Amino acid sequence: MPNIKSAIKRVKVIEKKTLNNNMIKSETKTAIRKYEEANSKGDKSAAELLKVAKKKIDHAASKGVISENAASRKKSRLEKKLVAKAEPKKATTKKVVAKKVAEKTAE
């Protein structure tokens, strides 16, 4: 345990931030898990849950819990899963994925 006043404060602040970061990570993982379950079952709500998951991922990235690159990678993989479920065994590029996700969310 630190003896210096500023070091004691840093420990308290770090504990609070760690709890907050863990909460954000947990919310993000839960949103991703719900989307993946719905997508695997073929629910119509998968597109809506994708929006929620992407929003949570963006929130985590904006707070610095995960990096921007990690957030982008996670969102891309989730979008690919939605498209792959709709049309199996086709090559997917970024433009194709973006177009098909836009079509799915518009429905």
Side-chain angles (χ1 to χ4, degrees):
M1 194 65 198
N3 294 328
I4 299 169
K5 190 174 183 180
S6 61
I8 292 169
K9 181 179 179 184
R10 289 306 314 155
V11 168
K12 288 180 182 178
V13 169
I14 289 169
E15 286 175 353
K16 286 181 186 177
K17 285 189 175 192
T18 301
L19 289 175
N20 195 35
N21 289 346
N22 288 340
M23 181 188 68
I24 293 170
K25 279 184 199 175
S26 177
E27 288 174 351
T28 304
K29 289 177 185 177
T30 302
I32 291 170
R33 192 177 323 109
K34 284 181 181 179
Y35 160 71
E36 288 178 341
E37 286 174 4
N39 194 31
S40 66
K41 291 178 184 176
D43 286 350
K44 300 279 185 187
S45 64
E48 196 64 35
L49 289 172
L50 175 63
K51 285 182 184 179
V52 173
K54 286 171 61 175
K55 185 176 179 181
K56 293 285 185 183
I57 291 169
D58 285 335
H59 177 71
S62 70
K63 295 297 179 186
V65 177
I66 60 174
S67 71
E68 291 290 333
N69 287 347
S72 179
R73 184 179 63 245
K74 286 176 188 283
K75 290 191 298 185
S76 176
R77 287 179 180 171
L78 292 177
E79 289 172 355
K80 282 183 181 180
K81 286 180 183 179
L82 182 67
V83 172
K85 192 70 175 174
E87 296 177 14
K89 298 185 181 180
K90 285 194 176 183
T92 55
T93 62
K94 264 191 170 178
K95 288 181 181 178
V96 172
V97 169
K99 184 178 177 183
K100 292 188 180 184
V101 167
E103 290 172 359
K104 276 282 197 185
T105 55
E107 293 177 356

